[in-house]
Amino acid sequence: MQQITSRIQEEARRLLSEDLVDMVIGYEEGWDPSTTTPCVVRDEAQVSRLIFDERCVYNLARYLVGREGYLTSRFVPADKRPRVALVARPATLRTVSVLIQEHQFGREDLVILGIVDGTASAVKPDVEVGQIEPDDARREETRARVGELAQMSASERWAFWREEFSKCIRCYACRQVCPFCYCEECIAEENRPQWIGRSPLPRNNISWNAIRAFHLVGRCVDCGECERVCPVDIPLSLINVKMVEEVAAVFDYVAGVDVEAAPALATFQVDDTDDFVR
Amino acid sequence: MESRTLPKDRLDQLVDALIADYTVIAPKDERSYGEIESASEWRSDGDKPAQSLKQFFLPERELLVRYTKSRSGVELVEPPSPRSMARVILGARPCDVAALPVLDLVFQWDDEDSLYLERRESTAIIAMACDEPCTTCFCASLGGSPAGTEGADLLLTELDDAYHVAVVSERGRELVDRYSDLFEESSVEHERQRVQAQEASLAKLPRQVDIEGLDEVLEFENPVWETLTQQCLDCGICTFLCPTCHCFDIRDEGTPQQGERVRLWDACTFPSYTQAHAGQPRPVHYRRYRQRIMHKFRYYSENFGRTLCVGCGRCIEHCPVGIDLRQVLSQVRTG
């Protein structure tokens, strides 16, 4: 891990000193010794702030996109946007692949200092700064829980999710942390018409969480951030991973492994057995 | 301060007696306080719940009025007064309890907020001193303490074989009188143990932050705001979990013929907050975050003479990206 930190600092120093980028988005120590926090380094003299270890879990691709994203901000003209270098964990590499596929920015708009774990990703780092073990344990556990849910009867499953969603306080941390929730105006905020009731009532919470889940179908790369940040511990990965499995089974499509591929839900075949797509 | 002791083996009896007489709210799980129906449902150890006590006085969704429109006019039906529901909050953390007098100031400021105030009036609070502060706690910086009594009616402190019971208010005295057969007179030894326990937990408090004179050095125009928390995601966790954040939105739900007017928690961190016909006065992140800090540590002080923060540390513990309010406060000071 120490080696990864050195490599990140070395590359950040080079990129900034040679004026190849304007900023490096990475991780630094938090104020509390148990935490780290995302940081933006614009100055060569600040490069020593950058670190990497097992506490650095955030999916930093979040900062590239959306209304105030560094590569897409509506408040900064396109020619004034910064040239960004991004420290990218394996899930962030997959995320960047999908964001490029969705035309949020081009591959050339970003220098990637990547940490890899052998998981397939379309986008390769410009510089590989390290290798870590794949988070197989977490992903296996999620898959196992998805399997358990699949064994339930529909009414048991419905009861399970109704209970989970009843806890939702509509803080929207799941949306805000998600790099794929880059809509300028979220459907949850639209009020003419109001698609989703704003009150944290069970029926509205189900609408909100179900609609967000549908919007991630064929896009989610299972970085696990939404579940990690949920302050009331709703197991959001169970929905997203279920959708990943469905899309793989039905469309033979996995998000993040092919930049040229048309996204599963943004394409159709004329001989599709369902005629509503024609 | 007047005090009693409650032998440990009588705690459950007290809880059962309270449950028989009141709606009893206590820490239920890691997530929140909630109504308990038996003593075993009270999670009396462990860290403070993610959610504060706020929801029991300012619910995340509160019905203000039901309306029905007919040919004869509009019929309005107000919800029943919360006053009729006598409640006891048990095992509340001193920081959560200290937040209530802070909220009282704003809810009886230019207008008496009857729903909030009636809930306050009808709720007795039995706080429990913290023995293991979290690494994110900074109550002592804000004038509180792991054994703070502000806002409480009784404060329990766990001793070797009993709980020390500080009688903080008249309502607290009524409670110990009502269940007088359970309490005993406090001994010198119990008093000694209490002091020792409270000093021990104070000593365990982590790094605190200096807020002395902060209201005077916080400047709206300080350029530091622009880069201070650029990693913030603009979610509502810090505001919703905060025991003192109290901003709300009022909405009508239903149809023009029939529906409900409700108030809902809102958060200054949301880009939609204060969005109005004229647009958004705080379109970018740093302006929203600046508002949050200025409100807590300057505007509230100017209006009410105290800060809108009790140092519970939830905003630090639950921030999705590790933003630490203690660091923010030291950075705005040094500029």
Side-chain angles (χ1 to χ4, degrees):
Chain A
M1 289 286 181
Q2 189 52 44
Q3 229 173 355
I4 302 180
T5 295
S6 312
R7 288 284 290 133
I8 290 171
Q9 292 185 2
E10 192 181 305
E11 288 302 322
R13 191 171 292 112
R14 179 181 66 82
L15 291 164
L16 289 166
S17 68
E18 293 176 14
D19 194 28
L20 296 169
V21 299
D22 299 305
M23 61 166 63
V24 179
I25 304 177
Y27 305 95
E28 70 177 331
E29 286 290 343
W31 205 63
D32 189 287
S34 65
T35 61
T36 61
T37 189
C39 74
V40 177
V41 170
R42 296 164 198 265
D43 178 358
E44 205 188 323
Q46 298 281 314
V47 158
S48 60
R49 284 164 58 194
L50 293 163
I51 60 160
F52 187 83
D53 61 33
E54 62 284 342
R55 298 168 302 159
C56 301
V57 294
Y58 318 116
N59 186 347
L60 301 178
R62 167 71 267 195
Y63 297 106
L64 303 176
V65 291
R67 184 156 47 182
E68 295 180 58
Y70 287 113
L71 297 183
T72 59
S73 174
R74 68 150 83 156
F75 302 102
V76 182
D79 60 342
K80 295 273 191 324
R81 288 186 190 136
R83 295 165 300 162
V84 176
L86 184 78
V87 175
R89 294 176 53 85
T92 305
L93 288 169
R94 304 197 294 275
T95 305
V96 167
S97 306
V98 176
L99 290 172
I100 291 173
Q101 204 178 348
E102 295 181 354
H103 306 294
Q104 290 304 298
F105 51 83
R107 178 65 187 86
E108 65 286 358
D109 295 331
L110 193 64
V111 176
I112 299 175
L113 309 181
I115 297 137
V116 298
D117 68 354
T119 319
S121 166
V123 162
K124 308 291 180 227
D126 293 286
V127 182
E128 191 181 302
V129 291
Q131 288 192 348
I132 56 173
E133 293 295 315
D135 61 346
D136 289 345
R138 181 188 69 82
R139 305 181 87 192
E140 272 312 314
E141 195 197 322
T142 308
R143 274 195 285 268
R145 287 159 71 206
V146 169
E148 282 165 26
L149 274 180
Q151 296 301 311
M152 290 182 183
S153 69
S155 60
E156 285 170 335
R157 206 158 42 234
W158 175 240
F160 172 85
W161 284 114
R162 203 171 39 192
E163 172 68 23
E164 289 295 336
F165 292 146
S166 71
K167 304 187 312 199
C168 178
I169 56 172
R170 306 289 286 279
C171 69
Y172 299 117
C174 50
R175 174 185 76 188
Q176 296 304 105
V177 81
C178 180
F180 299 121
C181 277
Y182 53 67
C183 286
E184 288 251 329
E185 185 173 15
C186 176
I187 190 168
E189 257 109 44
E190 283 181 23
N191 56 11
R192 278 200 294 177
Q194 180 143 14
W195 302 102
I196 304 172
R198 175 64 191 77
S199 282
L201 294 172
R203 63 167 186 271
N204 296 338
N205 292 346
I206 290 169
S207 299
W208 158 243
N209 283 282
I211 289 175
R212 201 182 93 83
F214 284 138
H215 284 185
L216 289 172
V217 172
R219 307 171 68 215
C220 175
V221 297
D222 185 25
C223 70
E225 282 289 89
C226 51
E227 177 162 326
R228 180 184 68 80
V229 304
C230 179
V232 293
D233 303 327
I234 301 171
L236 294 164
S237 290
L238 299 187
I239 310 172
N240 297 329
V241 169
K242 173 68 178 166
M243 291 301 174
V244 169
E245 291 178 356
E246 290 286 313
V247 170
V250 178
F251 300 107
D252 190 24
Y253 176 88
V254 178
V257 300
D258 182 2
V259 168
E260 302 302 325
L265 268 64
T267 184
F268 66 94
Q269 290 170 345
V270 286
D271 57 350
D272 197 295
T273 49
D274 285 320
D275 59 6
F276 69 88
V277 297
R278 277 178 245 156
Chain B
M1 192 178 291
E2 191 184 334
S3 64
R4 302 279 195 286
T5 55
L6 176 71
K8 274 196 177 163
D9 55 9
R10 288 192 206 152
L11 181 67
D12 283 2
Q13 274 173 270
L14 174 65
V15 179
D16 289 337
L18 288 168
I19 289 171
D21 296 339
Y22 300 94
T23 297
V24 176
I25 292 161
K28 263 187 112 163
D29 51 36
E30 289 175 11
R31 204 158 37 81
S32 61
Y33 294 87
E35 187 178 339
I36 59 167
E37 281 161 6
S38 74
S40 61
E41 284 184 70
W42 174 22
R43 179 174 168 269
S44 56
D45 50 5
D47 290 348
K48 67 176 98 57
Q51 294 210 64
S52 75
L53 286 178
K54 175 168 75 179
Q55 59 180 304
F56 300 101
F57 300 94
L58 179 68
E60 51 190 332
R61 176 186 192 273
E62 176 158 57
L63 175 66
L64 300 177
V65 69
R66 278 200 181 87
Y67 62 86
T68 315
K69 205 163 129 188
S70 64
R71 247 176 255 160
S72 50
V74 179
E75 190 196 0
L76 300 177
V77 181
E78 291 192 8
S81 162
R83 195 181 276 135
S84 57
M85 186 176 58
R87 305 185 298 183
V88 170
I89 295 178
L90 185 63
R93 298 303 177 130
C95 51
D96 287 336
V97 179
L100 299 172
V102 176
L103 289 178
D104 293 347
L105 296 169
V106 73
F107 283 103
Q108 55 189 359
W109 181 27
D110 49 353
D111 188 29
E112 300 262 313
D113 192 299
S114 58
L115 291 169
Y116 172 89
L117 293 171
E118 286 169 17
R119 285 198 178 87
R120 284 283 283 136
E121 259 171 52
S122 58
T123 308
I125 296 175
I126 304 177
M128 174 76 90
C130 297
D131 52 0
E132 287 290 338
C134 305
T135 59
T136 46
C137 291
F138 62 115
C139 55
S141 307
L142 279 306
S145 123
T149 55
E150 190 187 8
D153 297 303
L154 297 175
L155 174 74
L156 308 186
T157 306
E158 188 173 358
L159 312 177
D160 294 341
D161 59 347
Y163 291 92
H164 177 275
V165 183
V167 181
V168 186
S169 71
E170 193 48 45
R171 185 154 54 187
R173 180 195 306 279
E174 285 165 19
L175 280 174
V176 292
D177 286 349
R178 182 165 187 173
Y179 306 106
S180 57
D181 51 330
L182 297 176
F183 295 98
E184 292 175 359
E185 289 307 309
S186 196
S187 70
V188 176
E189 169 57 17
H190 283 134
E191 190 58 31
R192 191 193 63 77
Q193 284 184 24
R194 177 192 69 85
V195 171
Q196 199 178 25
Q198 294 183 354
E199 280 173 359
S201 64
L202 251 185
K204 283 185 219 163
L205 271 185
R207 194 164 162 187
Q208 300 292 294
V209 60
D210 180 16
I211 70 136
E212 187 68 33
L214 192 64
D215 51 340
E216 283 161 27
V217 299
L218 276 182
E219 284 299 336
F220 190 83
E221 299 294 351
N222 189 340
V224 77
W225 294 117
E226 290 189 36
T227 52
L228 191 60
T229 54
Q230 46 196 338
Q231 76 272 50
C232 174
L233 299 168
D234 295 308
C235 75
I237 287 183
C238 53
T239 49
F240 282 8
L241 301 189
C242 176
T244 61
C245 272
H246 53 265
C247 285
F248 55 78
D249 188 16
I250 293 180
R251 296 201 175 206
D252 289 345
E253 298 184 336
T255 64
Q257 278 66 45
Q258 190 175 19
E260 295 180 337
R261 175 159 293 181
V262 295
R263 75 168 157 196
L264 309 171
W265 288 355
D266 204 352
C268 56
T269 49
F270 289 158
S272 59
Y273 180 86
T274 65
Q275 173 93 45
H277 298 84
Q280 172 52 273
R282 302 182 197 119
V284 292
H285 161 71
Y286 86 87
R287 297 189 186 188
R288 297 189 288 272
Y289 195 83
R290 172 175 63 189
Q291 165 63 22
R292 178 170 157 78
I293 300 301
M294 292 291 280
H295 185 205
K296 285 194 169 297
F297 297 95
R298 180 158 180 171
Y299 307 147
Y300 209 80
S301 307
E302 285 171 357
N303 286 330
F304 300 112
R306 63 186 301 173
T307 55
L308 188 63
C309 173
V310 290
C312 74
R314 284 189 178 85
C315 58
I316 304 168
E317 187 183 345
H318 297 278
C319 176
V321 290
I323 295 173
D324 196 316
L325 179 61
R326 294 167 297 184
Q327 180 181 27
V328 167
L329 294 179
S330 26
Q331 285 179 342
V332 286
R333 182 184 289 280
T334 54

